[in-house]
């Protein structure tokens, strides 16, 4: 009996070690969250991919998308980028498709301009943003797609932007720089669970899209390089950005909709944008910028649970004469800031035109801008709000806002924060303020009020992701 028991126990031990050895040598089933799970799965290595950081995988990505788009109508496909370093030039995504980047995988962007085919500028930006004429394709491109996911186990996409930043600063680029991920004219888009770093320019650029979910992104760029914005929703309807963290040399989020006469003509707003639980470090720019290119309009933006550290400004409005369009129905609450140059900053004199052909009579409408429940410390300037002469920014509301002065060495005396001595500076703006410390400028008339924040929930905020599994 004793012998038999020992025998059985030994057998169990052997069986379980054999099993775990087997399990480790095999792929592991890992959960991930997505708008849709996929029926088919393939690995970049199936298409000749090499993860050595040296070989180019552009052809492997192209072959994979060509092959996998055939099963789009049969439950869709997922392409795994396995552990390794995968150098590649620009490539295109497909519909009913998921690109899954393994936790230990890094997609490395080629530093060769020839790996980014030249394409036409976006119509609402006139002849181009950084240079007239064609622009470089982005690293990862999606055009006219439906149901497309770029996700992973927090895998990395590294734009290797140094060479682009240097050429840009030296004015040696003949075309607008590539973005890291650009999705155009698409619906049901998800970009999540990734680390994005060192883009040549903006990191994530959803443009003319509807139903966009951006979640759990970590975006990291040096704080002293040009235009490495985090996430730039551009003329999109129904977008949510959640649980993300950006350190950047430019705005962490920049909401856009086209530039002057070209944007006015295209006329496509960014609307119903929800931002929640977002953290930003942007010493030279804004946590959330509205504009400056806002000529197609920006409306119904809701931002809450915003944390900022060492940033130039909070939720900032940038516009000017010639822009036309509007920024309206903006709601911001639950904001915590530490070490800021400005808490509130609005500029009606931003300048920057695509060409001299802008219409000086095209004035933007800036109205119904609401900020509430904010604390900020170590601040230089509380509010610099400058509207446009003859075109005041109206219905600005601020309530329950407490701002503490810049800390001198050693912090504030006896833990008691002194009132800031730096003034507000308001011109051509109108609105109300309530429980704002230090007291707001007289243009924001004191009135007992809680600034508005919508009580309904946007449809995009109600979308629940499915739990899917992938063998990686
Ligand atoms: C490409 O797709 C076909 C089915 O259409 C399949 O038989 C083939 O194995 C695929 N090629 C690769 C390299 O996976
Ligand atoms: C994508 O759709 C837009 C708008 O419908 C159209 O103008 C454009 O030609 C399409 N692009 C491609 C590559 O199919
Ligand atoms: C993802 O990776 C980045 C970079 O290593 C790290 O800072 C971040 O905390 C990670 N995020 C998650 C959700 O694991
Ligand atoms: C005022 O704002 C703080 C956060 O900044 C919040 O904790 C508090 O509940 C708010 N007070 C009221 C009365 O809403
Ligand atoms: C206040 O703002 C106006 C308009 O932007 C500007 O001209 C002026 O210099 C500012 N004043 C101070 C003291 O910063």
């Amino acid at each position: 009996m004793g012998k038999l028991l020992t025998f059985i126990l030994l057998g169990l031990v052997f069986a379980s070690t054999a099993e775990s050895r087997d399990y480790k040598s095999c792929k592991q089933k890992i959960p991930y969250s997505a708008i849709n799970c996929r029926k088919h799965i393939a690995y970049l290595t199936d298409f000749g991919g090499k993860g050595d950081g040296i070989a180019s995988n552009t052809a492997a990505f192209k072959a994979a998308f060509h092959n996998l788009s055939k099963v789009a109508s049969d439950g869709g496909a997922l392409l795994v980028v396995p552990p390794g370093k995968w150098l590649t030039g620009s490539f295109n995504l497909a519909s009913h498709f998921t690109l899954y980047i393994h936790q230990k995988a890094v997609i490395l962007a080629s530093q060769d301009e020839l790996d980014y085919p030249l394409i036409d500028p976006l119509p609402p930006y006139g002849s181009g943003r950084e240079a007239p004429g064609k622009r470089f394709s982005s690293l990862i491109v999606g055009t006219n797609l439906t149901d497309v996911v770029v996700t992973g186990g927090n895998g990395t996409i590294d734009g290797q932007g140094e060479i682009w930043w240097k050429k840009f600063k030296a004015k040696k680029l003949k075309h607008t720089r590539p973005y890291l991920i650009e999705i155009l004219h698409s619906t049901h888009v998800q970009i999540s669970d990734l680390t994005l770093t060192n883009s040549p320019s903006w990191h994530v650029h959803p443009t003319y899209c509807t139903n966009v979910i951006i979640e759990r992104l970590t975006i990291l760029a040096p704080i002293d390089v040009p235009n490495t914005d985090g996430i730039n929703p551009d003329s999109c309807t129904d977008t949510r950005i959640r649980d993300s963290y950006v350190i950047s040399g430019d705005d962490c989020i920049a909401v856009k909709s086209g530039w002057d006469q070209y944007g006015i003509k295209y006329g496509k707003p960014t609307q119903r944008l929800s931002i929640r639980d977002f953290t930003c470090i942007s010493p030279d720019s804004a946590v959330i910028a509205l504009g400056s290119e806002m000529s197609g309009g920006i409306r119904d933006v809701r931002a809450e649970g915003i944390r900022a550290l060492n940033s130039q400004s909070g939720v900032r409005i940038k516009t000017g004469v010639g822009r036309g369009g509007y920024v309206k129905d903006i709601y911001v609450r639950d904001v915590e800031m530490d070490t800021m140059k400005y808490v509130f900053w609005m500029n009606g004199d931003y300048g920057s035109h695509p060409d001299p052909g802008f219409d000086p009579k095209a004035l933007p409408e800036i109205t119904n801008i609401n900020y509430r429940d904010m604390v900020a410390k170590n601040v230089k300037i509380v509010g610099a709000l400058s509207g446009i002469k003859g075109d005041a920014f109206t219905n600005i509301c601020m309530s329950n806002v407490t701002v503490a002065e810049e800390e001198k060495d050693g912090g504030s005396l006896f833990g008691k924060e002194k009132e800031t001595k730096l003034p507000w500076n308001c011109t051509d703006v109108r609105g109300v303020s309530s429980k704002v410390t230090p007291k707001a400028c007289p243009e924001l008339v004191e009135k007992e009020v809680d600034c508005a924040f919508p009580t309904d929930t946007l449809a995009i905020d109600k979308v629940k992701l499915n739990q899917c599994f992938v063998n990686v």
Side-chain angles (χ1 to χ4, degrees):
M1 189 65 193
K3 262 184 189 164
L4 185 60
L5 191 63
T6 313
F7 192 68
I8 290 170
L9 280 175
L10 269 176
L12 279 175
V13 167
F14 268 101
S16 71
T17 45
E19 211 170 73
S20 72
R21 200 177 297 133
D22 242 352
Y23 188 59
K24 271 180 195 150
S25 69
C26 276
K27 297 187 169 95
Q28 270 179 279
K29 203 172 176 189
I30 295 200
Y32 69 99
S33 303
I35 47 175
N36 284 305
C37 307
R38 308 297 182 199
K39 185 167 151 189
H40 302 270
I41 179 169
Y43 299 82
L44 190 58
T45 42
D46 298 343
F47 301 91
K50 273 208 174 65
D52 60 4
I54 298 163
S56 170
N57 289 282
T58 313
F61 275 113
K62 284 186 179 158
F65 291 108
H66 180 72
N67 191 291
L68 298 174
S69 57
K70 289 189 266 183
V71 294
S73 54
D74 178 35
L78 176 145
L79 178 70
V80 176
V81 179
K85 290 189 170 167
W86 310 85
L87 183 70
T88 183
S90 170
F91 62 85
N92 290 281
L93 300 167
S95 288
H96 306 294
F97 178 84
T98 299
L99 178 66
Y100 182 94
I101 304 167
H102 188 280
Q103 187 186 6
K104 294 190 178 122
V106 182
I107 293 184
L108 289 175
S110 162
Q111 294 185 312
D112 185 347
E113 287 185 19
L114 296 175
D115 281 327
Y116 300 84
L118 293 173
I119 54 172
D120 287 333
L122 297 169
Y125 289 91
S127 61
R129 288 192 90 260
E130 294 176 356
K134 302 264 179 189
R135 64 188 184 114
F136 291 107
S137 296
S138 300
L139 179 70
I140 300 182
V141 183
T143 308
N144 297 15
L145 303 181
T146 178
D147 180 17
V148 60
V149 177
V150 182
T151 188
N154 198 22
T156 300
I157 305 174
D158 181 350
Q160 304 206 90
E162 309 78 21
I163 190 158
W164 296 95
W165 307 328
K166 271 193 199 133
K167 285 187 196 170
F168 177 75
K169 279 185 185 159
K171 298 191 161 51
K172 280 194 179 139
L173 287 173
K174 291 198 186 72
H175 310 282
T176 299
R177 284 170 285 169
Y179 306 126
L180 204 59
I181 303 178
E182 182 173 72
I183 314 285
L184 299 162
H185 297 290
S186 297
T187 185
H188 302 292
V189 176
Q190 175 187 339
I191 303 168
S192 70
D193 303 283
L194 296 170
T195 297
L196 310 179
T197 178
N198 299 332
S199 175
S201 176
W202 305 345
H203 285 81
V204 182
H205 189 213
T207 313
Y208 328 127
C209 289
T210 56
N211 292 299
V212 181
I213 293 181
I214 295 173
E215 298 190 353
R216 294 176 300 282
L217 295 186
T218 302
I219 301 181
L220 308 169
I223 54 175
D224 55 354
V225 298
N227 315 109
T228 48
D229 301 24
I231 305 165
N232 290 8
D234 200 342
S235 297
C236 287
T237 294
D238 294 310
T239 303
R240 83 180 192 215
I241 300 173
R242 285 190 188 167
D243 302 318
S244 291
Y245 178 89
V246 179
I247 304 182
S248 167
D250 209 316
D251 303 318
C252 287
I253 295 178
V255 184
K256 298 185 184 286
S257 67
W259 208 6
D260 287 6
Q261 68 271 33
Y262 306 103
I264 295 170
K265 184 167 172 227
Y266 202 75
K268 215 166 171 7
T270 289
Q271 55 191 345
R272 298 199 296 271
L273 166 64
S274 158
I275 302 167
R276 281 191 199 163
D277 302 322
F278 184 79
T279 303
C280 169
I281 298 179
S282 174
D284 279 321
S285 273
V287 176
I288 301 173
L290 304 168
S292 82
E293 304 91 332
M294 38 57 71
S295 303
I298 296 174
R299 73 172 159 234
D300 196 353
V301 176
R302 307 163 181 205
E304 57 186 316
I306 309 299
R307 304 288 172 261
L309 258 174
N310 190 19
S311 294
Q312 190 188 33
S313 65
V315 179
R316 178 184 181 194
I317 295 175
K318 303 194 277 191
T319 187
V321 167
R323 283 284 192 276
Y326 52 82
V327 176
K328 62 184 177 192
D329 310 331
I330 309 297
Y331 309 95
V332 181
R333 73 174 171 197
D334 180 15
V335 182
E336 215 179 290
M337 300 174 156
D338 185 347
T339 312
M340 305 289 295
K341 182 159 183 205
Y342 300 91
V343 172
F344 301 105
W345 200 16
M346 297 183 187
N347 311 75
D349 58 350
Y350 194 72
S352 147
H353 299 287
D355 55 51
F358 67 90
D359 176 3
K361 290 204 264 334
L363 300 176
E365 182 196 4
I366 312 298
T367 190
N368 195 25
I369 316 291
N370 302 276
Y371 300 92
R372 57 179 288 176
D373 307 336
M374 300 176 55
V375 287
K377 62 179 183 187
N378 200 16
V379 166
K380 267 196 173 33
I381 298 166
V382 183
L385 313 180
S386 50
I388 295 172
K389 209 171 160 58
D391 176 37
F393 297 177
T394 60
N395 290 314
I396 296 169
C397 183
M398 295 178 185
S399 67
N400 184 27
V401 175
T402 308
V403 178
E405 170 185 35
E406 187 173 18
E407 284 161 20
K408 306 291 177 239
D409 328 320
S412 44
L413 281 175
F414 312 112
K416 253 183 95 182
E417 265 149 4
K418 293 173 288 177
E419 282 240 312
T420 173
K421 289 178 202 79
L422 284 161
W424 289 72
N425 182 8
C426 301
T427 46
D428 303 301
V429 296
R430 288 199 292 270
V432 296
S433 62
S434 176
K435 303 192 184 75
V436 174
T437 314
K439 198 160 144 24
C441 55
E443 287 79 0
L444 304 182
V445 179
E446 265 193 284
K447 194 181 161 192
E448 196 63 33
V449 68
D450 288 325
C451 300
F453 197 97
T455 50
D456 64 327
T457 305
L458 293 175
I460 192 70
D461 271 325
K462 290 183 189 156
V463 175
K464 287 208 165 64
L465 298 181
N466 297 296
Q467 188 173 70
C468 309
F469 290 90
V470 59
N471 282 306
V472 293

